[in-house]
Amino acid sequence: MEFQTHSSPHTSRPNRVDRVMLQVIMALIPGTAAMIFYFGWGVLLNVILAVGAAVGFEALVMKLRGRPVLPPLFDLSAALTALLFAIAVPPLLPWWMVVLGMAFAIIMVKQMYGGLGYNPFNPAMAAYVLLLISYPIEMTSWLPPMLLAEHSLGLGEVLSIKFVGTLPQGLTMDAITMATPLDEMRTQLDLNQMISEIRTSPLWGDFGGQGWEWVGNWFLMGGIWMVYKRTITWQIPLSFLGGLVGMATLFWLFDPESFPFPLFHVFSGGAILGAFFIATDPVTASTTRVGQLIYGAAIGILVYIIRTWGGYPDAVAFAVLLMNMAAPTIDYYTRPRVYGHGGVKGG
Amino acid sequence: MADTGYRTIVTDGLWHNNQALVALLGLCPLLAVTNTAINGLGLGLATTAVLVSSNTTVSLIRNLVRPEVRLPVFVMVIASFVTAIELGMNAYFHELHKILGIFIPLIVTNCAIIGRAEAFASKNNLQRSIVDGLSIGIGFTLVLVTLGGMRELVGQGTLFDQAHLMFGEAAKGMTLKIEDFPGMLIAILPPGAFIGLGLLIMVKNLIDKRVAARTAMKIETSEGAAGVTS
């Protein structure tokens, strides 16, 4: 048996931007497919619309800036932003809101700061927050998951709702849409219901809402695959979920009837998607190892605080944007010691 | 400084040294009240009135005030005018005064005003100080109205809403409205003010750049032509 030994350098694979982006997109596929399965055509249409709009705006800005148009289109960063945005917004969102969100994300949040690698804020989340603040009703009208829906919408019906705004005969917007499980939990808790009472409704699954928790599961698998492939580091997802679960456990032990159990928080809303796919964005997150732990934990804690006491039902977007702002400061104070400088006395 | 012509004073106030777009002074009222064009206009005119009066007074007393106490004196002068204008607005534009609220008394703290008193009026004669106050004030007002108009248009699809607060009942027809426009709430909310001001500054810098490039080209070509003929 002959062992081959290679001399250095041992570079083994090209770690280019498009490769990383492609891995993230691939990791998102199972969760996105699950969303299409549970929430219907609207999700798929959102993805197509958002990706088309994002790539279009990216090309437009590149042309205006007098830069080569094609390379940024093939690095897939705009497509990834669009995909993250598309699965975060409700399936029945009117088409022009999707396009508006992408215009804001690509033109204002990404390109005006200098393009890929220079944007201080996560473009997908900034666009989500813009729409949530501007159009709170449309942005919180979710479809019920397939198993609970009394009337499942066909492709034609979804198209007509999204593009023309006409609802199927005899149905109102209230009849076909439903609050998200997080929203529902908040509303019922505000009515002084006990959690054991709230959870008797068929809306709930084992941890989060029916359907929702399965979407979360698939995103979790994609996320773990990314950690395994070293596309992302484990620090941010772990500390994000750790911060969230830590806060939730504390309050749940204190009063289990008015604070939901920790796994409810993990499997509801955008927690898993946020932990593995959004908070780990290499451009806007903290870059040092210790910094990433602080950054992730702070997002997790903020998510719990905003979900429990804030004005909006879900909080991942707000928490991520807030910590994006803090990331440079965290990096500044957690710079690793350069070998041979500083350190112990007399060093 | 004393040799700059009136034309320079005016263009500086309106454009090159615009207090809102270049010096970035007085941002607190600028960002807070510009959710409609009329609110912007109201605050802008009040600020202009204070600027002109304070510049006038400071210029007149500039040789009487000892340098050691000049800042307190200037602040007193400005505060007196602001109080007078606030009472006047309360009497004649009561509704508008209610909307602008705390931001009228806060004109005292607008750095643009003490800035002009200190940097210009205390060193220049009466006429020049009045012209400076007027042009600075109008430049500030134009930005307020533009930003207010932008935010109003994007945020609720109207322009010059509530114009009657300013110009009386006859002006009710001035309000323009885009029918069936849902409006983007964020433009009315505080983030919209920051984004809007950023966009205005961007446009201003873009225009400056274009103009500079054009003049540079003109100088080049005229030099080239001169070179050929000589």
Side-chain angles (χ1 to χ4, degrees), chain A residues 100 108 112 130 133-135, chain B residues 183-186 189 195 202:
Chain A
L100 178 72
M108 304 267 285
M112 274 199 180
L130 172 91
I133 291 176
S134 297
Y135 308 104
Chain B
M184 254 177 93
L185 200 55
I186 196 168
L189 297 172
I195 297 173
M202 181 191 79

Side-chain angles (χ1 to χ4, degrees), chain B residues 44-87:
Chain B
L45 290 182
T47 310
T48 308
V50 175
L51 253 170
V52 173
S53 344
S54 72
N55 263 13
T56 309
T57 317
V58 168
S59 176
L60 285 175
I61 61 172
R62 70 184 190 277
N63 295 326
L64 307 175
V65 181
R66 293 173 61 88
E68 295 87 351
V69 294
R70 67 183 197 286
L71 285 181
V73 172
F74 294 168
V75 172
M76 291 267 285
V77 168
I78 295 168
S80 325
F81 283 115
V82 170
T83 311
I85 284 179
E86 200 216 342
L87 292 174

